[in-house]
Amino acid sequence: MIRYAITEDKLNAEIDAISPTWRDRAKDRIETFRTAQKYDEASSMWGEIKSVYRTLQHDKCGYCERILEDKRDIDVEHFRPKKSVKSFIPTNQPPYPYSTGGAWDEGYYLLAYHPQNYLIACKMCNEALKKSYFPIAGTRQQNDDPKQMVSENPFLIYPIGDLDDDPEMLLEFVGIFPKRRYLSGHENRRVEVMIDLFELDIREKLLIGRAKIIYALWLALNKYPQDQRSQDYIHYLTSSSSAHCNCARSFYHLFQQDRARAEEVAGYAIEYVMENRSK
Ligand SMILES: [Zn+2]
């Protein structure tokens, strides 16, 4: 997971360029929800501005960093659910020794049309895993501006702009596996919940994708600096437009610090790809 840098003004300008009326229509809809005190409409219109997020995120899932090659796999995801919120309890381990906020029937209906409540995500992350979860450490708030809601202390990380922490400051990779940068505190727990909720450490498609990138990067790094094409490829693999670039950057950092260990990790990566090549 990485941050996709953009200011709120620039994001709004990108939306206006796609549809000059969208933000005004969005405000009207929010006022309807405010009166009704719930999200309720016959048809949605966030699909009209999907291309803004596709371009910003380089067609990558905002949570798992896969490149979304099939348009049918690309959802506009509401970071805070517009309808009721379910209680998140990890399924593959004992319950957490801390609260994650519980269920909330109201849902964040005032954010159904807020540009800073959107990102694109793959169907696996959005529909199968995130569903309508939004675990928080604080108290839920009904507000029409995400900037005013930081005291909710969400566990999930919002990757667009600078509303939230930079995901790479909290989450790194050791080989193909995600790792928490902080040893304790809310930052540590955020990554624990992110990994569990999106199954970032066990989804084979992700593990194989990261392993392929690590090996490709290793091959290119071993030609560096003699070969211009290798330099260009290294630059690409560690850029935000490449799949799994947080993992690639973590490996690049390891290569700079400890070349022998990097060679070992690259060896494990290619072994993993070959063992799972039929999947
Ligand atoms: Zn995903």
Side-chain angles (χ1 to χ4, degrees):
M1 192 177 184
I2 59 164
R3 170 182 277 173
Y4 299 93
I6 192 167
T7 63
E8 184 176 15
D9 286 348
K10 176 89 168 111
L11 182 60
N12 288 336
E14 298 285 346
I15 291 168
D16 293 348
I18 298 283
S19 170
T21 63
W22 190 89
R23 288 199 297 135
D24 285 340
R25 288 185 283 130
K27 277 183 194 153
D28 291 344
R29 293 206 180 192
I30 289 300
E31 291 317 309
T32 308
F33 305 153
R34 197 192 300 275
T35 304
Q37 297 191 324
K38 63 177 178 179
Y39 170 77
D40 185 20
E41 62 182 342
S43 63
S44 66
M45 56 175 209
W46 46 77
E48 292 177 31
I49 58 166
K50 184 193 274 191
S51 63
V52 170
Y53 298 86
R54 286 187 60 182
T55 303
L56 176 63
Q57 292 176 227
H58 313 284
D59 271 348
K60 286 164 57 175
C61 173
Y63 297 125
C64 73
E65 269 213 90
R66 268 196 317 125
I67 287 187
L68 307 175
E69 283 154 3
D70 184 346
K71 277 186 187 172
R72 290 168 300 185
D73 195 27
I74 305 176
D75 287 342
V76 175
E77 140 80 347
H78 285 75
F79 183 62
R80 284 177 167 88
K82 59 193 176 298
K83 293 199 269 190
S84 62
V85 179
K86 287 200 301 184
S87 174
F88 177 65
I89 297 161
T91 52
N92 54 359
Q93 62 177 47
Y96 299 130
Y98 49 87
S99 167
T100 54
W104 193 44
D105 286 344
E106 262 182 60
Y108 298 93
Y109 56 82
L110 293 179
L111 296 177
Y113 281 105
H114 199 294
Q116 288 177 303
N117 193 42
Y118 295 147
L119 65 150
I120 57 161
C122 70
K123 288 213 180 291
M124 183 67 175
C125 284
N126 182 23
E127 287 183 8
L129 296 172
K130 180 160 178 287
K131 301 175 184 170
S132 58
Y133 296 128
F134 193 70
I136 60 170
T139 307
R140 296 208 188 272
Q141 290 180 40
Q142 193 61 263
N143 198 301
D144 59 9
D145 184 356
K147 291 190 292 299
Q148 308 299 321
M149 300 167 79
V150 287
S151 66
E152 280 197 327
N153 284 326
F155 283 101
L156 306 187
I157 307 167
Y158 184 62
I160 309 285
D162 58 3
L163 263 185
D164 204 340
D165 292 328
D166 183 339
E168 285 183 271
M169 294 297 107
L170 308 183
L171 167 68
E172 63 181 339
F173 285 82
V174 173
I176 60 177
F177 295 105
K179 184 187 170 209
R180 305 173 226 179
R181 279 188 183 272
Y182 284 80
L183 298 176
S184 62
H186 186 58
E187 291 87 353
N188 169 288
R189 291 173 176 179
R190 294 191 82 178
V191 178
E192 176 174 44
V193 173
M194 286 289 303
I195 291 172
D196 292 342
L197 197 151
F198 292 109
E199 299 183 354
L200 298 176
D201 55 342
I202 56 173
R203 285 161 61 189
E204 271 179 357
K205 204 176 235 183
L206 302 183
L207 300 177
I208 291 169
R210 292 176 199 141
K212 286 179 177 173
I213 280 176
I214 283 175
Y215 198 68
L217 191 50
W218 167 251
L219 293 178
L221 284 164
N222 277 299
K223 284 215 167 199
Y224 184 88
Q226 294 85 0
D227 186 314
Q228 182 60 44
R229 286 169 302 181
S230 286
Q231 288 186 45
D232 293 344
Y233 198 38
I234 292 162
H235 180 74
Y236 166 67
L237 290 174
T238 54
S239 72
S240 55
S241 59
S242 178
H244 308 297
C245 92
N246 185 333
C247 174
R249 287 170 180 168
S250 296
F251 180 76
Y252 184 65
H253 183 69
L254 174 69
F255 180 84
Q256 289 171 318
Q257 302 292 317
D258 185 345
R259 205 160 287 203
R261 177 68 189 142
E263 182 168 7
E264 227 176 345
V265 168
Y268 293 138
I270 195 62
E271 273 174 34
Y272 189 83
V273 172
M274 295 309 286
E275 281 167 11
N276 295 281
R277 60 186 181 273
S278 60
K279 291 177 182 166

